[in-house]
Amino acid sequence: MLNNIGLPGLLLIAVVVLVLFGRGKISSLMGEVGKGITAFKKGVTDGTKEIEDAAKSDTEPRDITPPAANPAAPSDKDKA
């Protein structure tokens, strides 16, 4: 469906959007979109760096299971 739009169709859509929303709204919207894309890229690079650093520092796997609760310890209910 979108294969047949072409350049004239895109220009017509752009003119209609410009008339409906105005230049100020569109420029502020594009600024927010640009900020969002920049934040997304920064997040992706930070995430990959964090994963790479964790892979370099951890040569062997760690045990991350929480310690088991001590069943022999009296609870608050047993004290009363």
Side-chain angles (χ1 to χ4, degrees), residues 11-40:
L11 289 174
L12 179 65
I13 291 170
V15 168
V16 168
V17 168
L18 184 62
V19 167
L20 288 177
F21 295 109
R23 193 179 75 199
K25 278 262 199 212
I26 292 175
S27 65
S28 66
L29 178 67
M30 290 299 117
E32 293 298 321
V33 168
K35 288 178 187 176
I37 290 172
T38 303
F40 178 76

Side-chain angles (χ1 to χ4, degrees), residues 7-78:
L7 186 61
L10 290 176
L11 289 174
L12 179 65
I13 291 170
V15 168
V16 168
V17 168
L18 184 62
V19 167
L20 288 177
F21 295 109
R23 193 179 75 199
K25 278 262 199 212
I26 292 175
S27 65
S28 66
L29 178 67
M30 290 299 117
E32 293 298 321
V33 168
K35 288 178 187 176
I37 290 172
T38 303
F40 178 76
K41 286 182 180 180
K42 184 179 183 287
V44 168
T45 55
D46 289 348
T48 54
K49 284 180 183 178
E50 186 176 311
I51 291 172
E52 289 172 357
D53 292 345
K56 288 178 183 177
S57 66
D58 277 345
T59 54
E60 61 185 57
R62 296 181 296 165
D63 184 21
I64 57 170
T65 55
N70 189 358
S75 65
D76 291 335
K77 293 178 183 176
D78 296 336

